[in-house]
Amino acid sequence: MDMPSQAEAGTTKKAASKRGNLVKLFTVVAISVTVTIVAIVFREKIMGMEKLGYPGIFLVSLVANATVIFPAPGLAFTFAMGSVFNPLLVGLVAGLGEALGELSGYAAGYAGRGMFSEDRRYARFERLTRRYGGAAVVVLSAVPAAVFDLVGIAAGAMRMPAYRFLFYTWLGKTAKTIVFAYAGAYSVTWFLDLIR
């Protein structure tokens, strides 16, 4: 019986590794799609979570940022809750939820390393993340745009340690959510002063 050559063994090992990465990527995408569907189907119930107070704010922020395909209205919710609760606490809780939710994009990049390299937008964010590291993650996570998923995918594909990605994302997301919560608080005060 002939033994496989080293080249054949290496090719077989690469194929198995690629299949394993595809399975991991499929799992992450399936979870993200499921979270997205849940967010769409239960949108009204999710928006009604203000009755739960800060835990509700955390959950809405988490779900809104765990969706990769369909952006859920997390910032609108944070804005609204800033007018109901302490805006600083709303921003801190929402920032934590948003940061944890972004781990879905990070996991997709970690599992599917190299699968996204054909996307020009992804390539741009990967260059920024590779060049500026944590500073790029902080700044880009503070920008209210749906493209941050590509930054998470790039960070995962580049094997940035998950705790660093989470910390940098938390810094940027928290700064952004605090601004939105205070904007919500002051806009209500401004509107009430206007109609009096």
Side-chain angles (χ1 to χ4, degrees), residues 78-158:
T78 300
F79 181 87
M81 292 304 97
S83 66
V84 177
F85 298 106
N86 179 319
L88 178 61
L89 293 178
V90 168
L92 291 171
V93 169
L96 180 60
E98 285 196 12
L100 288 170
E102 292 297 348
L103 287 174
S104 62
Y106 176 89
Y110 196 90
R113 188 176 190 177
M115 301 291 253
F116 303 93
S117 58
E118 300 300 317
D119 186 320
R120 290 186 0 216
R121 293 177 308 160
Y122 166 78
R124 186 177 326 129
F125 288 117
E126 182 184 23
R127 279 193 305 274
L128 283 170
T129 306
R130 196 174 294 284
R131 183 170 182 186
Y132 299 107
V137 175
V138 171
V139 170
L140 293 169
S141 65
V143 175
V147 295
F148 187 73
D149 289 326
L150 294 173
V151 176
I153 291 168
M158 292 171 14

Side-chain angles (χ1 to χ4, degrees), residues 78-88 179-192:
T78 300
F79 181 87
M81 292 304 97
S83 66
V84 177
F85 298 106
N86 179 319
L88 178 61
V179 167
F180 270 79
Y182 272 104
Y186 286 115
S187 67
V188 168
T189 304
W190 173 81
F191 182 73
L192 291 174

